[in-house]
Amino acid sequence: MEDSFRNHLRCLVDSAFLESIETKEALRLEASGLILDMALVIDEAFRGGRKLFIFGNGGSAADSQHLAAEFVNRFQRERPPLPALALTVDTSVLTSISNDYLFEDIFLKQLTALGQPGDVALGISTSGRSPNVLKGLKWASEHGIRTLGFSGPVETEMDLCCDFTLHVPSKVTARIQESHITAGHIICALTEEMLFADFNGEDA
């Protein structure tokens, strides 16, 4: 590999790191309180014996599964499992709904079957415009389920469906996704802290 091309690639590496750092720093300044508010909603639901549903498409589907696993298994503390479900994992459900009805209904139908008032629905969409995510959030908001959204930089219909919406200040999909998973990890950590630690930092 020529040195000039290697230097070009190295610049791309540095640029990606810096762009990600700058996006997350901007998000920290703009949304720390909002992230705490989202964690408080989830904490209240878990304390009441309710569930957290997480859903999105593509990379956001993977993030949904990732975050559900952190709640169900563990994040940083040894503690009891927490009732979180990713609505992106049952291929028979997803394909049957898509085949018999509409792809837009894949999350709506699962929430209709499984959701109860007091549960929480977290929809993830880098654009904030994914029809199936919006359809699920809209139904949830109309049926007593608390609604949270992870989105991109601009307000969309998602904001009308959600109690709280996290907007990542970037137009680059990769940076938005990286910030979504960071925010999700923080929410996991906050939820564990509220549920399983006292104010002295000892296990409750």
Side-chain angles (χ1 to χ4, degrees):
M1 183 182 294
E2 294 183 3
D3 287 344
S4 60
F5 189 55
R6 182 179 177 85
N7 289 336
H8 166 68
L9 295 177
R10 178 62 185 271
C11 287
L12 292 179
V13 172
D14 290 343
S15 176
F17 271 117
L18 291 171
E19 191 174 64
S20 186
I21 291 167
E22 290 168 0
T23 299
K24 290 174 182 175
E25 176 62 10
L27 187 65
R28 181 186 71 83
L29 294 172
E30 295 174 9
S32 290
L34 176 63
I35 290 170
L36 174 56
D37 289 335
M38 289 180 157
L40 287 166
V41 169
I42 295 170
D43 171 69
E44 180 182 1
F46 287 158
R47 288 180 186 276
R50 300 306 184 184
K51 300 178 294 296
L52 168 64
F53 301 101
I54 316 174
F55 47 96
N57 299 287
S60 299
D63 287 345
S64 300
Q65 295 167 221
H66 180 157
L67 293 175
E70 305 286 22
F71 282 110
V72 171
N73 184 26
R74 66 185 295 276
F75 185 58
Q76 294 174 326
R77 288 181 172 273
E78 292 297 334
R79 42 78 174 173
L82 295 168
L85 297 90
L87 301 184
T88 57
V89 297
D90 190 326
T91 55
S92 293
V93 168
L94 296 173
T95 55
S96 67
I97 294 171
S98 299
N99 185 63
D100 296 346
Y101 297 93
L102 297 170
F103 183 70
E104 291 181 11
D105 291 341
I106 59 173
F107 304 132
L108 164 67
K109 277 187 162 286
Q110 292 183 79
L111 287 168
T112 303
L114 302 172
Q116 298 290 330
D119 290 338
V120 180
L122 169 56
I124 306 176
S125 170
T126 58
S127 68
R129 297 186 176 91
S130 300
N132 54 6
V133 173
L134 294 178
K135 206 165 183 178
L137 288 170
K138 185 173 186 295
W139 183 90
S141 70
E142 293 171 349
H143 289 82
I145 296 174
R146 300 297 302 276
T147 49
L148 309 176
F150 282 3
S151 186
V154 298
E155 291 189 6
T156 66
E157 187 181 343
M158 178 182 276
D159 293 84
L160 302 177
C161 303
C162 289
D163 297 312
F164 296 104
T165 307
L166 179 77
H167 289 285
V168 177
S170 175
K171 296 180 180 179
V172 180
T173 298
R175 304 294 86 85
I176 296 170
Q177 290 173 327
E178 291 157 7
S179 296
H180 283 174
I181 202 63
T182 298
H185 279 165
I186 295 168
I187 289 171
C188 287
L190 291 171
T191 304
E192 284 191 338
E193 192 72 10
M194 289 185 286
L195 288 171
F196 302 108
D198 64 21
F199 289 113
N200 296 317
E202 299 175 354
D203 288 345

